[in-house]
């Protein structure tokens, strides 16, 4: 049955297709007994049950004083409290503002101030970090669990006490619109103060809606392995809510337990960020490698091991380019055979690759990716309380991603590097991404980060920081010999540093700024000091 349209513009979906409150109410009627949220311990929440939980918690937040459109800070790890808080705040038309659970000190003070929140929902273990930190407009803490909290810097309300009658109507001042702000997601903050990305309901819908991710259907179950303060963690529940489908919420990614949890939760799809796919592929093979329910996986980035991953685990691979600010502008078909690609431009999106002056580069040349969409409000609405950063990113009517790409003659895009992470060595521009990909092909390397360090000859030297596959050891000389045969001479790292694990944010991004600040340490191996020099090949005419 065709529903009457809410808006004259056909590009804008109905409210009950893209606004959380109306979506939940719709499915609670149409799919009352279908599971929407499942947990690793086997508990399931149907749409009907979830609606009651959400309405009861929303009534509690309303009694506390949370108003429609108000920003509410949420500082929680993944779990039941986090997902109910997310849904309940949006049910009131309030803005969900999650904080990274690694925040502390000045960075924590920055996001508290930037959020403009009066209320913070917080795990008790995080409360001590608020001591001695400027709390800006914060008035009250809502603390989860029934544990007592000593020395809290603000009045405390117990989260479990925020419960109202799920039968309450919870009237709104006005209907929640697709262009209203749903969330503020903070960028990783590894290279400077975090920016709060303003995302509307329509932005979140466009991020992984039917036109963005056509391979995802109402019968799929999405295994969410990222923290809820990351777009990769808060996006999946909304992606599946928009389809009337289900999501499996787990605490975090574990190489050893991944496939067993996927099977136990009957998950059919997963998003593998960063080195997750590498970790899974480099784990010891098991007879049960295909004994699971996963059928589809997004692998970001798409590595040369994609075919081996499909063969070993029986999973179709897709890839994508996305970031918190945009809405999946580049998506691939199943099992792309162009290694390293992110896919092609999806319907409803325009993409340009440009130079430093926003002038388009030729096909095959490297340029910064600029994006805009046909649908209004389908990308970010700017950076919260940061008009300068908003103007810089949105100049000339396009959103500037800060990522360098190239495009081939067939229309496929290839990520080259973050513009700020590019390395220039002896006249050659080097992609840290491509260096890392080659280093990770070594069977003993679990993960790698390539950075620029100062050279005595001007420009940069290439340094890689590597961590081993469990149970194996990395010999720097042997790794250097492997790389000399695998990559152009100018890309071969001069410096190799060994760590048990690379420093990462809780959203699995390597903290390159920290590694750059440490530079060449006393335990770093120097290829040239070891007598291994790599020279340009000469060819006779």
């Amino acid at each position: 049955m065709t529903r009457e349209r809410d808006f004259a513009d056909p590009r804008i979906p109905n409210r009950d297709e893209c606004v959380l409150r109306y979506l939940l109410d719709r499915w609670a009627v149409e799919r009352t007994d279908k599971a929407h949220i499942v947990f690793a311990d086997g508990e399931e929440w149907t749409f009907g049950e979830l609606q009651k939980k959400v309405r009861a918690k929303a009534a509690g937040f309303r009694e506390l004083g949370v108003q429609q459109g108000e920003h509410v800070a949420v500082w929680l790890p993944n779990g039941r409290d986090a997902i109910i808080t997310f849904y309940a705040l949006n049910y009131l038309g309030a803005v969900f503002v999650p904080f990274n659970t690694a925040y502390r000190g000045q960075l924590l003070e920055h996001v508290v101030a930037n959020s403009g929140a009066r209320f913070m929902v917080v795990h008790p273990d995080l409360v001590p970090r608020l001591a001695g930190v400027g709390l800006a407009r914060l008035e009250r803490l809502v603390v989860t669990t029934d544990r007592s909290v000593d020395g809290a810097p603000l009045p405390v309300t117990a989260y479990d006490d925020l419960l109202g009658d799920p039968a309450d109507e919870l009237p709104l001042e006005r209907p929640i619109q697709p262009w209203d702000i749903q969330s503020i997601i903070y960028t990783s903050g590894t290279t400077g103060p975090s920016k709060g990305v303003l995302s509307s309901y329509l932005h979140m819908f466009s991020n992984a809606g039917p036109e963005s991710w056509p391979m995802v259907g109402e019968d799929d179950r999405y295994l969410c392995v990222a923290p809820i303060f990351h777009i990769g963690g808060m996006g999946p529940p909304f992606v599946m809510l928009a389809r009337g489908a289900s999501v499996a919420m787990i605490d975090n990614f574990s190489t050893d337990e991944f496939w067993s949890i996927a099977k136990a939760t009957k998950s059919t799809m997963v998003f593998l960020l960063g080195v997750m796919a590498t970790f899974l592929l480099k784990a010891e093979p098991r007879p049960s490698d295909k004994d699971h329910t996963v059928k589809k996986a997004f692998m970001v980035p798409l590595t040369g091991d994609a075919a081996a991953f499909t063969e070993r685990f029986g999973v179709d691979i897709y890839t994508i380019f996305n970031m918190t600010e945009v809405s999946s502008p580049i998506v691939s078909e199943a099992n792309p055979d162009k290694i390293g690609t992110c896919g092609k431009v999806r319907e409803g999106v325009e993409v340009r690759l440009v130079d430093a002056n926003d002038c388009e580069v030729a096909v095959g040349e490297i340029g910064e990716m600029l994006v805009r969409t046909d649908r209004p409000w389908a990308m970010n609405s700017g950076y919260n309380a940061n008009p300068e950063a908003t103007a810089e990113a949105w100049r000339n009517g396009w959103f500037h991603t800060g990522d360098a790409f190239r495009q081939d003659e067939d229309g496929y895009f290839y990520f080259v590097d973050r513009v700020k992470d590019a390395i220039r060595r002896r006249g050659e521009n080097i992609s840290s991404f491509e260096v890392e990909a080659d280093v990770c092909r070594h069977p003993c390397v679990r993960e790698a980060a390539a950075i620029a360090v100062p050279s005595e000859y001007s420009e940069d030297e290439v340094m890689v920081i590597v961590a081993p596959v469990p149970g194996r050891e990395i010999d720097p000389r042997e790794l250097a010999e492997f790389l000399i045969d695998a990559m152009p001479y100018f890309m071969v790292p001069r410096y190799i540093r060994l760590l048990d694990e690379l420093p990462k944010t809780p959203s699995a991004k390597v903290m390159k700024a920290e590694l750059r600040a440490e530079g060449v340490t006393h335990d770093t191996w120097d290829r040239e000091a070891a007598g291994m020099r790599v020279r340009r090949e000469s060819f006779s005419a």
Side-chain angles (χ1 to χ4, degrees):
M1 182 177 67
T2 303
R3 297 190 305 280
E4 183 178 344
R5 286 200 52 79
D6 293 334
F7 309 101
D9 189 335
R11 297 172 298 176
I12 308 296
N14 282 358
R15 295 186 190 93
D16 66 355
E17 294 176 309
C18 65
V19 175
L20 188 145
R21 176 175 174 134
Y22 308 125
L23 274 166
L24 182 57
D25 286 348
R26 173 187 168 192
W27 298 130
V29 172
E30 296 183 15
R31 300 178 183 177
T32 308
D33 297 324
K34 181 176 180 177
H36 175 51
I37 307 288
V38 302
F39 299 95
D41 62 7
E43 184 176 0
E44 296 186 356
W45 293 346
T46 67
F47 282 109
E49 292 167 340
L50 181 60
Q51 184 200 41
K52 293 177 182 177
K53 293 177 184 291
V54 168
R55 287 172 65 93
K57 188 60 67 177
F61 279 122
R62 171 70 59 83
E63 183 65 24
L64 184 68
V66 175
Q67 301 171 5
Q68 185 172 352
E70 179 166 13
H71 299 179
V72 179
V74 179
W75 203 18
L76 298 174
N78 280 16
R80 291 163 174 79
D81 292 340
I83 193 69
I84 288 292
T85 300
F86 168 22
Y87 278 37
L89 291 173
N90 277 179
Y91 200 86
L92 292 177
V95 180
F96 176 64
V97 190
F99 290 170
N100 189 319
T101 52
Y103 285 165
R104 61 178 69 238
Q106 289 186 343
L107 183 51
L108 174 60
E109 184 171 304
H110 163 71
V111 296
V112 167
N114 181 266
S115 73
R118 293 188 299 141
F119 303 107
M120 174 189 281
V121 185
V122 58
H123 190 280
D125 290 349
L126 298 173
V127 172
R129 294 193 203 166
L130 296 170
V133 172
L135 300 180
R137 296 184 64 232
L138 277 182
E139 299 174 2
R140 179 168 292 274
L141 305 178
V142 178
V143 181
T144 59
T145 79
D146 56 1
R147 289 164 39 192
S148 61
V149 178
D150 297 324
L154 293 171
V156 170
T157 294
Y159 181 83
D160 290 344
D161 290 343
L162 292 182
L163 283 177
D165 186 344
D168 287 350
E169 289 300 319
L170 297 173
L172 299 167
E173 296 176 7
R174 60 172 178 79
I176 303 171
Q177 302 290 7
W179 43 85
D180 287 344
I181 300 300
Q182 179 196 34
S183 60
I184 300 174
I185 303 294
Y186 284 91
T187 57
S188 60
T190 55
T191 58
S194 291
K195 298 190 291 291
V197 180
L198 293 161
S199 292
S200 67
Y201 291 92
L202 196 47
H203 175 201
M204 295 303 297
F205 176 82
S206 302
N207 193 45
E211 71 276 16
S212 308
W213 291 11
M215 70 293 292
V216 182
E218 63 182 51
D219 294 325
D220 279 313
R221 178 166 294 168
Y222 192 142
L223 180 62
C224 181
V225 298
I228 201 162
F229 53 74
H230 184 276
I231 188 63
M234 74 153 290
F238 191 80
V239 166
M240 304 318 276
L241 179 65
R243 290 168 169 80
S246 59
V247 61
M249 300 294 295
I250 63 175
D251 293 340
N252 49 53
F253 173 83
S254 166
T255 303
D256 294 336
E257 299 177 357
F258 177 82
W259 294 113
S260 61
I261 290 176
K263 181 180 178 180
T265 57
K266 300 179 182 178
S267 298
T268 65
M269 62 170 294
V270 66
F271 205 112
L272 298 173
L273 288 167
V275 293
M276 293 176 183
T278 302
F279 289 177
L280 292 171
L281 195 55
K282 291 199 173 184
E284 287 296 320
R286 301 176 182 176
S288 60
D289 276 344
K290 292 185 179 179
D291 184 18
H292 56 79
T293 54
V294 178
K295 304 299 181 185
K296 294 168 278 195
F298 285 92
M299 181 184 287
V300 181
L302 184 71
T303 70
D305 296 326
F309 193 97
T310 296
E311 175 64 26
R312 175 172 169 182
F313 299 112
V315 175
D316 283 331
I317 295 295
Y318 297 81
T319 194
I320 195 171
F321 167 71
N322 199 22
M323 57 193 299
T324 307
E325 292 92 331
V326 297
S327 50
S328 304
I330 309 293
V331 183
S332 81
E333 69 279 13
N335 304 315
D337 56 12
K338 290 179 177 266
I339 299 303
T341 186
C342 300
K344 292 183 175 182
V345 179
R346 71 166 176 85
E347 183 181 351
V349 175
E350 293 180 79
V351 167
R352 296 172 62 219
L353 301 185
V354 303
D355 62 18
N357 297 306
D358 283 4
C359 296
E360 202 153 341
V361 301
V363 171
E365 293 185 4
I366 296 172
E368 181 183 3
M369 180 177 284
L370 275 53
V371 183
R372 67 184 181 189
T373 57
D374 295 345
R375 172 184 285 160
W377 309 104
M379 295 203 300
N380 73 88
S381 299
Y383 296 110
N384 189 53
N386 195 340
E388 296 84 3
T390 300
E392 175 66 15
W394 277 103
R395 65 187 183 273
N396 290 327
W398 293 75
F399 181 78
H400 292 62
T401 65
D403 288 330
F405 282 79
R406 63 178 176 84
Q407 182 183 15
D408 68 16
E409 294 285 352
D410 297 323
Y412 285 88
F413 285 83
Y414 301 81
F415 175 78
V416 175
D417 219 331
R418 288 293 292 170
V419 172
K420 65 189 176 203
D421 285 341
I423 303 168
R424 185 167 179 84
R425 181 173 186 262
R426 301 179 190 179
E428 299 281 0
N429 291 316
I430 300 172
S431 162
S432 65
F433 173 77
E434 292 177 345
V435 173
E436 291 158 4
D438 280 339
V439 173
C440 285
R441 290 192 178 100
H442 190 282
C444 292
V445 176
R446 184 173 188 244
E447 54 182 340
I451 61 172
V453 293
S455 167
E456 64 267 39
Y457 306 113
S458 77
E459 295 190 328
D460 303 321
E461 288 287 0
V462 181
M463 177 175 176
V464 293
I465 303 90
V466 296
V469 171
R472 299 188 184 182
E473 294 184 357
I474 299 172
D475 179 342
R477 177 178 286 274
E478 193 275 328
L479 176 58
E481 291 171 348
F482 172 86
L483 295 175
I484 289 171
D485 291 335
M487 58 175 52
Y489 75 94
F490 58 84
M491 289 175 61
V492 177
R494 172 176 173 179
Y495 298 106
I496 299 176
R497 181 184 177 195
L498 308 182
L499 294 177
D500 292 334
E501 186 170 350
L502 302 189
K504 290 185 285 292
T505 70
S507 53
K509 291 184 178 180
V510 175
M511 301 177 70
K512 286 192 176 181
E514 179 178 309
L515 295 172
R516 276 192 288 263
E518 294 173 351
V520 179
T521 57
H522 71 280
D523 59 346
T524 298
W525 183 80
D526 181 348
R527 173 174 53 77
E528 293 192 358
M532 297 180 67
R533 293 184 175 271
V534 183
R535 301 188 184 279
R536 183 196 301 264
E537 292 179 284
S538 59
F539 301 92
S540 57

